[in-house]
């Protein structure tokens, strides 16, 4: 029986989730992290964009004791952030090669299913879905709780899109939603992006209506968290609790009704 689930908004699309014996870190690239010593730590990176991933997570002192679930595109980045091309001399080429062979680093592409086992005999499962940009979206099942992180999956309804582009964006988005909604989701993290102007709410509203998660947290609003208060005020949908974000490092205790 889980005593509590603690969700912390770090910044932008990065959240941590403390659940049972696990401590999850989604899409970290900057901000304050308080990594516990008594939990199994799992870093998840949905894709290699610089506002969702930094190779610094692979240089932590306890890296060997952490688990990493990384979108496969991260291993193909032809930039200084590519873990193959780190140039700061902190990791030698032999260490980089071993990273790809390491049992605690898992590269995943879209539409995959995977179980990950740990030394204490426990395990988690994950499903991946596509994105309407780069990388993956991901659904984890941990301690009987399902947790979804969208990455850059969204209905990117940019106001200056022409009609055909807007329809294409919608169709691509709905193709992924149709797959995701076949799963029960307890906790979800989904973009509420101020840059979309008056269309900021469209992807999130569709996601709530179609997927029906118990709880949805907003993301992709770094520095403009007030847009999440607007969403909470204007878009109340029965069956899903939307939790707006006010500030970095905000902690929320989550109550889940088992599905």
């Amino acid at each position: 029986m889980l005593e509590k689930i603690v969700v912390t908004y770090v910044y932008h699309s990065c959240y941590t989730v403390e659940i049972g014996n696990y401590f999850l870190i989604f899409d970290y690239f900057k901000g304050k992290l308080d990594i516990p010593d008594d939990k199994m730590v799992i870093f998840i990176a949905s894709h290699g964009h610089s506002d969702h991933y930094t190779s610094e997570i692979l240089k932590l002192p306890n890296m060997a004791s952490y688990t990493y679930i990384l979108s496969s595109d991260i291993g193909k980045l032809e930039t200084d952030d590519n873990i193959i091309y780190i140039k700061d001399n902190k990791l030698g080429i032999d260490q980089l090669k071993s990273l790809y062979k390491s049992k605690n680093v898992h590269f995943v592409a879209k539409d995959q299913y995977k179980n990950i086992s740990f030394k204490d005999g426990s395990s988690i499962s994950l499903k991946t879905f596509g994105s309407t940009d780069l990388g993956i979206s991901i659904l984890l099942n941990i301690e009987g709780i399902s947790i979804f992180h969208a990455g850059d999956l969204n209905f990117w309804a940019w106001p200056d899109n022409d009609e055909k582009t807007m329809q294409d964006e919608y169709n691509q988005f709905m193709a992924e939603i149709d797959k995701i909604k076949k799963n029960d989701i307890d906790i979800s993290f989904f973009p509420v992006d101020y840059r979309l102007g008056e269309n900021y709410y469209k992807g999130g509203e569709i996601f709530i209506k179609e997927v029906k998660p118990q709880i949805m947290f907003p993301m992709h609003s770094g520095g403009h968290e007030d847009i999440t208060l607007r969403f909470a005020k204007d878009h109340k949908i029965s069956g899903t609790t939307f939790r707006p974000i006010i500030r970095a490092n905000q902690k929320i205790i989550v109550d889940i009704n088992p599905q």
Side-chain angles (χ1 to χ4, degrees):
M1 177 69 69
L2 291 173
E3 293 182 3
K4 63 180 180 180
I5 302 172
V6 181
V7 174
T8 302
Y9 171 66
V10 178
Y11 182 71
H12 196 54
S13 295
C14 179
Y15 281 85
T16 66
V17 181
E18 184 177 342
I19 175 170
N21 294 322
Y22 299 91
F23 188 78
L24 314 178
I25 303 166
F26 289 95
D27 280 17
Y28 177 81
F29 78 103
K30 71 175 183 179
K32 181 183 177 183
L33 282 181
D34 293 318
I35 301 178
D37 296 326
D38 60 344
K39 302 284 184 180
M40 286 180 283
V41 176
I42 304 174
F43 279 91
I44 302 101
S46 66
H47 62 288
H49 284 162
S50 60
D51 61 338
H52 289 258
Y53 164 78
T54 172
S55 58
E56 293 300 315
I57 65 175
L58 297 163
K59 306 172 192 175
L60 298 172
N62 294 328
M63 182 266 176
S65 65
Y66 298 156
T67 296
Y68 294 83
I69 302 170
L70 309 177
S71 174
S72 57
D73 69 278
I74 289 172
K76 300 174 183 177
L77 292 175
E78 296 180 358
T79 71
D80 287 348
D81 231 12
N82 186 335
I83 57 180
I84 297 178
Y85 295 97
I86 296 172
K87 299 177 181 178
D88 59 10
N89 297 320
K90 291 182 180 178
L91 295 173
I93 187 64
D94 290 337
Q95 290 171 294
L96 292 173
K97 288 179 180 178
S98 69
L99 184 66
Y100 276 82
K101 298 177 182 177
S102 175
K103 293 182 179 179
N104 68 322
V105 179
H106 307 269
F107 288 97
V108 290
K110 69 175 184 177
D111 299 327
Q112 290 187 343
Y113 179 86
K114 189 178 184 70
N115 278 306
I116 298 176
S117 299
F118 298 90
K119 291 181 180 179
D120 68 351
S122 66
S123 65
I124 66 172
S125 64
L126 66 89
K127 285 184 180 180
T128 58
F129 304 92
S131 173
T132 43
D133 197 339
L134 184 64
I136 60 169
S137 49
I138 188 167
L139 177 64
L140 301 174
N141 192 291
I142 297 180
E143 302 278 4
I145 302 297
S146 55
I147 303 171
F148 177 82
H149 190 282
D152 264 356
L153 173 68
N154 195 9
F155 174 26
W156 294 112
W158 300 105
D160 58 353
N161 283 348
D162 59 36
E163 184 176 349
K164 181 181 184 305
T165 301
M166 194 71 83
Q167 187 64 49
D168 287 346
E169 290 285 355
Y170 175 80
N171 291 344
Q172 292 174 36
F173 177 60
M174 291 306 299
E176 296 304 321
I177 290 297
D178 285 343
K179 292 185 288 186
I180 295 165
K181 70 182 184 182
K182 296 175 183 177
N183 303 270
D184 291 330
I185 295 178
D186 297 312
I187 301 170
S188 61
F189 303 96
F190 193 89
V192 176
D193 194 324
Y194 69 96
R195 299 175 304 160
L196 292 170
E198 290 304 309
N199 294 335
Y200 81 98
Y201 67 91
K202 289 188 174 181
E205 185 177 76
I206 292 169
F207 180 78
I208 290 175
K209 287 181 176 179
E210 294 289 330
V211 178
K212 300 179 175 63
Q214 283 200 47
I215 300 174
M216 176 176 140
F217 290 92
M219 61 185 206
H220 226 267
S221 54
H224 297 265
E225 286 80 6
D226 56 330
I227 195 72
T228 73
L229 296 172
R230 181 179 172 189
F231 188 99
K233 178 182 177 181
D234 294 344
H235 301 279
K236 301 182 186 305
I237 301 173
S238 177
T240 294
T241 300
F242 178 77
R243 299 298 298 265
I245 293 299
I246 301 171
R247 63 186 181 278
N249 300 114
Q250 180 178 345
K251 290 185 181 294
I252 302 100
I253 307 297
V254 173
D255 292 320
I256 292 292
N257 295 318
Q259 298 193 53

